[in-house]
Amino acid sequence: MYSMTGYGKGVASDCGKSITVEIKTVNHRYLDLCLKTPRNFLFVEDAVKKAVGGAISRGHADLFLTYEQTSVSEGAYTVDVELAREYLSAVKKLTDGIGNIEDDFSVSALLKVPDVVKREQPVEDENLLAKLVLSALDIALCNLKEMRRKEGESLKADISAKLCNIEQSLQKIKERAPKVVAEYKENIEARIAEVLVPSKIDMQRLATEVALFADRCAIDEEITRLTAHIAHMRALLETQEPVGRKMDFLVQEFNRETNTIGSKANDMSITSEVLAIKNEIEKIREQSANIE
């Protein structure tokens, strides 16, 4: 089981070039990848998206790519001779026009003139850069998945504990449910006895009333379904494939059965346990929202 929260970093270097890839993920309904790369790395974006999509299935991911060129030997300097001549001509016109000033314009000064000397950027080897990017990305994704796995194990343990709490409350409900009908029968008999003599009590009508009440507050089916949902959730916790969406749906079923139990039970003790179960379900919902 994997969480959708994590961070991974990878670095790859060769031939005086270094690529650093960092990827950070948080929970999201689908896979949402945001690439932040230098403009000259657009050629590798499709490969990066494919690699990320093959490693993770859900979550918002921010991927940062940094490129450093440690070699200083690449590239060549070019001199714009015509531009230099134009500057010299302008300097001569200035000295001739003003007069009585020393012409201290030198080659060193000419080298500082913008665009006279330029460094030509070398042609990048895109195949090498793509290899470095994917290598760094692979390391980053491995680190990311390991962090997401550890976080997923923590979520798994927490959800398992909450399922145990739900089972404990559900067991109390199962033990209490049969007593609700019996107590109702005793209460209604006591109230009737206060106004009627026992010989005038219509036992058939009383039995019908108790039967109707028992039917209205019967929660056996809901308890059975909720027990099955708990077993299904435990099975999902042991699954290696992404199960976040399945857990989202299952939590809704948890709530549906629990709400039905609460509305039908008509008993304060059961209502108290229903509230405890709903509290645990809400916590599971929050945790499952961060599972891949």
Side-chain angles (χ1 to χ4, degrees), residues 258-274:
T258 304
N259 287 334
T260 303
I261 291 173
S263 64
K264 293 175 66 175
N266 198 24
D267 179 76
M268 287 302 299
S269 297
I270 292 180
T271 299
S272 177
E273 296 303 327
V274 164

PDB file of all heavy atoms in Angstrom, residues 258-274:
ATOM      1  N   THR A 258     -24.174   2.257   8.534  1.00  0.00           N
ATOM      2  CA  THR A 258     -24.159   2.790   9.903  1.00  0.00           C
ATOM      3  C   THR A 258     -25.310   3.762  10.124  1.00  0.00           C
ATOM      4  O   THR A 258     -25.965   3.741  11.180  1.00  0.00           O
ATOM      5  CB  THR A 258     -22.810   3.488  10.189  1.00  0.00           C
ATOM      6  OG1 THR A 258     -21.740   2.567   9.942  1.00  0.00           O
ATOM      7  CG2 THR A 258     -22.742   3.953  11.633  1.00  0.00           C
ATOM      8  N   ASN A 259     -25.576   4.606   9.157  1.00  0.00           N
ATOM      9  CA  ASN A 259     -26.696   5.546   9.277  1.00  0.00           C
ATOM     10  C   ASN A 259     -28.030   4.797   9.372  1.00  0.00           C
ATOM     11  O   ASN A 259     -28.930   5.207  10.126  1.00  0.00           O
ATOM     12  CB  ASN A 259     -26.723   6.492   8.074  1.00  0.00           C
ATOM     13  CG  ASN A 259     -25.602   7.511   8.125  1.00  0.00           C
ATOM     14  OD1 ASN A 259     -25.101   7.848   9.197  1.00  0.00           O
ATOM     15  ND2 ASN A 259     -25.191   8.010   6.976  1.00  0.00           N
ATOM     16  N   THR A 260     -28.166   3.727   8.617  1.00  0.00           N
ATOM     17  CA  THR A 260     -29.402   2.938   8.666  1.00  0.00           C
ATOM     18  C   THR A 260     -29.582   2.296  10.038  1.00  0.00           C
ATOM     19  O   THR A 260     -30.688   2.292  10.596  1.00  0.00           O
ATOM     20  CB  THR A 260     -29.391   1.845   7.583  1.00  0.00           C
ATOM     21  OG1 THR A 260     -29.202   2.449   6.301  1.00  0.00           O
ATOM     22  CG2 THR A 260     -30.702   1.083   7.578  1.00  0.00           C
ATOM     23  N   ILE A 261     -28.491   1.776  10.590  1.00  0.00           N
ATOM     24  CA  ILE A 261     -28.561   1.194  11.939  1.00  0.00           C
ATOM     25  C   ILE A 261     -29.006   2.245  12.943  1.00  0.00           C
ATOM     26  O   ILE A 261     -29.867   2.008  13.793  1.00  0.00           O
ATOM     27  CB  ILE A 261     -27.194   0.610  12.344  1.00  0.00           C
ATOM     28  CG1 ILE A 261     -26.877  -0.628  11.508  1.00  0.00           C
ATOM     29  CG2 ILE A 261     -27.177   0.244  13.835  1.00  0.00           C
ATOM     30  CD1 ILE A 261     -25.480  -1.188  11.723  1.00  0.00           C
ATOM     31  N   GLY A 262     -28.429   3.424  12.842  1.00  0.00           N
ATOM     32  CA  GLY A 262     -28.781   4.492  13.776  1.00  0.00           C
ATOM     33  C   GLY A 262     -30.225   4.932  13.662  1.00  0.00           C
ATOM     34  O   GLY A 262     -30.874   5.243  14.672  1.00  0.00           O
ATOM     35  N   SER A 263     -30.745   4.968  12.440  1.00  0.00           N
ATOM     36  CA  SER A 263     -32.125   5.424  12.248  1.00  0.00           C
ATOM     37  C   SER A 263     -33.148   4.373  12.643  1.00  0.00           C
ATOM     38  O   SER A 263     -34.271   4.704  13.041  1.00  0.00           O
ATOM     39  CB  SER A 263     -32.338   5.824  10.784  1.00  0.00           C
ATOM     40  OG  SER A 263     -32.188   4.703   9.934  1.00  0.00           O
ATOM     41  N   LYS A 264     -32.778   3.092  12.579  1.00  0.00           N
ATOM     42  CA  LYS A 264     -33.734   2.016  12.876  1.00  0.00           C
ATOM     43  C   LYS A 264     -33.663   1.515  14.318  1.00  0.00           C
ATOM     44  O   LYS A 264     -34.639   0.963  14.825  1.00  0.00           O
ATOM     45  CB  LYS A 264     -33.483   0.833  11.930  1.00  0.00           C
ATOM     46  CG  LYS A 264     -33.790   1.132  10.480  1.00  0.00           C
ATOM     47  CD  LYS A 264     -33.405  -0.015   9.567  1.00  0.00           C
ATOM     48  CE  LYS A 264     -34.238  -1.250   9.806  1.00  0.00           C
ATOM     49  NZ  LYS A 264     -33.939  -2.323   8.841  1.00  0.00           N
ATOM     50  N   ALA A 265     -32.533   1.708  14.976  1.00  0.00           N
ATOM     51  CA  ALA A 265     -32.318   1.057  16.265  1.00  0.00           C
ATOM     52  C   ALA A 265     -33.278   1.525  17.348  1.00  0.00           C
ATOM     53  O   ALA A 265     -33.772   0.745  18.151  1.00  0.00           O
ATOM     54  CB  ALA A 265     -30.884   1.257  16.715  1.00  0.00           C
ATOM     55  N   ASN A 266     -33.532   2.836  17.418  1.00  0.00           N
ATOM     56  CA  ASN A 266     -34.464   3.383  18.423  1.00  0.00           C
ATOM     57  C   ASN A 266     -34.033   3.019  19.839  1.00  0.00           C
ATOM     58  O   ASN A 266     -34.851   2.630  20.686  1.00  0.00           O
ATOM     59  CB  ASN A 266     -35.886   2.880  18.151  1.00  0.00           C
ATOM     60  CG  ASN A 266     -36.930   3.740  18.854  1.00  0.00           C
ATOM     61  OD1 ASN A 266     -36.691   4.905  19.155  1.00  0.00           O
ATOM     62  ND2 ASN A 266     -38.094   3.161  19.130  1.00  0.00           N
ATOM     63  N   ASP A 267     -32.715   3.164  20.086  1.00  0.00           N
ATOM     64  CA  ASP A 267     -32.186   2.828  21.414  1.00  0.00           C
ATOM     65  C   ASP A 267     -30.956   3.694  21.681  1.00  0.00           C
ATOM     66  O   ASP A 267     -30.067   3.803  20.827  1.00  0.00           O
ATOM     67  CB  ASP A 267     -31.817   1.345  21.465  1.00  0.00           C
ATOM     68  CG  ASP A 267     -31.236   0.933  22.802  1.00  0.00           C
ATOM     69  OD1 ASP A 267     -32.014   0.797  23.771  1.00  0.00           O
ATOM     70  OD2 ASP A 267     -30.001   0.758  22.890  1.00  0.00           O
ATOM     71  N   MET A 268     -30.879   4.278  22.868  1.00  0.00           N
ATOM     72  CA  MET A 268     -29.799   5.201  23.190  1.00  0.00           C
ATOM     73  C   MET A 268     -28.444   4.506  23.222  1.00  0.00           C
ATOM     74  O   MET A 268     -27.432   5.064  22.781  1.00  0.00           O
ATOM     75  CB  MET A 268     -30.076   5.880  24.531  1.00  0.00           C
ATOM     76  CG  MET A 268     -31.189   6.913  24.479  1.00  0.00           C
ATOM     77  SD  MET A 268     -30.831   8.240  23.269  1.00  0.00           S
ATOM     78  CE  MET A 268     -29.335   8.924  23.958  1.00  0.00           C
ATOM     79  N   SER A 269     -28.403   3.282  23.742  1.00  0.00           N
ATOM     80  CA  SER A 269     -27.126   2.567  23.810  1.00  0.00           C
ATOM     81  C   SER A 269     -26.580   2.282  22.414  1.00  0.00           C
ATOM     82  O   SER A 269     -25.387   2.455  22.147  1.00  0.00           O
ATOM     83  CB  SER A 269     -27.305   1.254  24.577  1.00  0.00           C
ATOM     84  OG  SER A 269     -27.689   1.490  25.909  1.00  0.00           O
ATOM     85  N   ILE A 270     -27.470   1.852  21.521  1.00  0.00           N
ATOM     86  CA  ILE A 270     -27.040   1.583  20.142  1.00  0.00           C
ATOM     87  C   ILE A 270     -26.653   2.877  19.446  1.00  0.00           C
ATOM     88  O   ILE A 270     -25.661   2.932  18.711  1.00  0.00           O
ATOM     89  CB  ILE A 270     -28.163   0.856  19.378  1.00  0.00           C
ATOM     90  CG1 ILE A 270     -28.355  -0.545  19.948  1.00  0.00           C
ATOM     91  CG2 ILE A 270     -27.839   0.793  17.884  1.00  0.00           C
ATOM     92  CD1 ILE A 270     -29.441  -1.347  19.268  1.00  0.00           C
ATOM     93  N   THR A 271     -27.418   3.939  19.698  1.00  0.00           N
ATOM     94  CA  THR A 271     -27.095   5.238  19.104  1.00  0.00           C
ATOM     95  C   THR A 271     -25.702   5.700  19.523  1.00  0.00           C
ATOM     96  O   THR A 271     -24.943   6.252  18.713  1.00  0.00           O
ATOM     97  CB  THR A 271     -28.140   6.289  19.506  1.00  0.00           C
ATOM     98  OG1 THR A 271     -29.418   5.888  19.026  1.00  0.00           O
ATOM     99  CG2 THR A 271     -27.790   7.652  18.923  1.00  0.00           C
ATOM    100  N   SER A 272     -25.365   5.470  20.776  1.00  0.00           N
ATOM    101  CA  SER A 272     -24.035   5.852  21.271  1.00  0.00           C
ATOM    102  C   SER A 272     -22.937   5.107  20.521  1.00  0.00           C
ATOM    103  O   SER A 272     -21.915   5.701  20.130  1.00  0.00           O
ATOM    104  CB  SER A 272     -23.950   5.558  22.771  1.00  0.00           C
ATOM    105  OG  SER A 272     -22.653   5.852  23.254  1.00  0.00           O
ATOM    106  N   GLU A 273     -23.148   3.816  20.269  1.00  0.00           N
ATOM    107  CA  GLU A 273     -22.154   3.032  19.533  1.00  0.00           C
ATOM    108  C   GLU A 273     -22.114   3.437  18.058  1.00  0.00           C
ATOM    109  O   GLU A 273     -21.052   3.438  17.434  1.00  0.00           O
ATOM    110  CB  GLU A 273     -22.465   1.536  19.661  1.00  0.00           C
ATOM    111  CG  GLU A 273     -22.364   0.987  21.074  1.00  0.00           C
ATOM    112  CD  GLU A 273     -20.994   1.223  21.703  1.00  0.00           C
ATOM    113  OE1 GLU A 273     -19.993   1.214  20.961  1.00  0.00           O
ATOM    114  OE2 GLU A 273     -20.935   1.408  22.929  1.00  0.00           O
ATOM    115  N   VAL A 274     -23.269   3.790  17.513  1.00  0.00           N
ATOM    116  CA  VAL A 274     -23.316   4.262  16.125  1.00  0.00           C
ATOM    117  C   VAL A 274     -22.481   5.529  15.964  1.00  0.00           C
ATOM    118  O   VAL A 274     -21.726   5.681  14.989  1.00  0.00           O
ATOM    119  CB  VAL A 274     -24.775   4.515  15.685  1.00  0.00           C
ATOM    120  CG1 VAL A 274     -24.817   5.359  14.401  1.00  0.00           C
ATOM    121  CG2 VAL A 274     -25.491   3.196  15.459  1.00  0.00           C
TER     122      VAL A 274
END
